[in-house]
Amino acid sequence: VQLQASGGGLVQPGGSLKLSCTASGNIFKIDQMGWYRQPPGRQRELVAHISSGEKLSVADSVKGRFSLSRDNAKNTVYLQMNSLKPEDTAVYYCNALITDMKLLMAPYWGQGTQVTVSS
């Protein structure tokens, strides 16, 4: 099982980016999927996550600017980031709670994608 993230980059303040993360491998079931971020010099923090039942949890710092969605048929979660601010600069990591074909449940992490908000 692995997670492949994409979509980071450099954007000006007020701009938008969309991150994608796709799970692949011997997957039986995916429960929660979401994104964390680690700003420079700081600890990793939750951005947003969504359950298999579409229950959404979003950090206060990004509410109203970021939205999360998932496509269960594609095992993919998307993070749409609007009105980006310099303080959103971080390495963004996707995360998913996955049960594999051996019925073992574990958290998995993507490789991280850099988002830089700067003029």
Side-chain angles (χ1 to χ4, degrees):
V1 176
Q2 61 179 358
L3 298 181
Q4 180 67 46
S6 62
L10 172 65
V11 64
Q12 292 186 343
S16 298
L17 280 175
K18 186 174 184 178
L19 306 183
S20 301
C21 176
T22 299
S24 62
N26 294 324
I27 296 170
F28 175 73
K29 182 180 67 167
I30 302 177
D31 291 298
Q32 190 170 275
M33 298 186 82
W35 292 89
Y36 288 72
R37 67 185 182 185
Q38 187 163 14
R42 293 171 55 184
Q43 290 187 333
R44 194 174 296 188
E45 61 188 25
L46 174 69
V47 177
H49 60 71
I50 184 168
S51 72
S52 57
E54 305 287 333
K55 183 177 180 181
L56 190 62
S57 179
V58 181
D60 289 342
S61 59
V62 304
K63 276 182 181 176
R65 300 187 298 119
F66 291 12
S67 62
L68 190 69
S69 61
R70 65 188 282 175
D71 184 334
N72 291 325
K74 296 181 178 179
N75 290 340
T76 298
V77 63
Y78 305 97
L79 182 67
Q80 177 66 48
M81 304 184 292
N82 299 325
S83 301
L84 281 160
K85 304 175 181 180
E87 51 263 44
D88 295 318
T89 295
V91 178
Y92 283 70
Y93 297 91
C94 65
N95 169 269
L97 189 60
I98 296 175
T99 300
D100 64 19
M101 290 299 189
K102 296 181 180 179
L103 301 184
L104 297 175
M105 178 186 287
Y108 289 86
W109 293 91
Q111 79 277 21
T113 184
Q114 177 70 46
V115 172
T116 302
V117 185
S118 175
S119 55

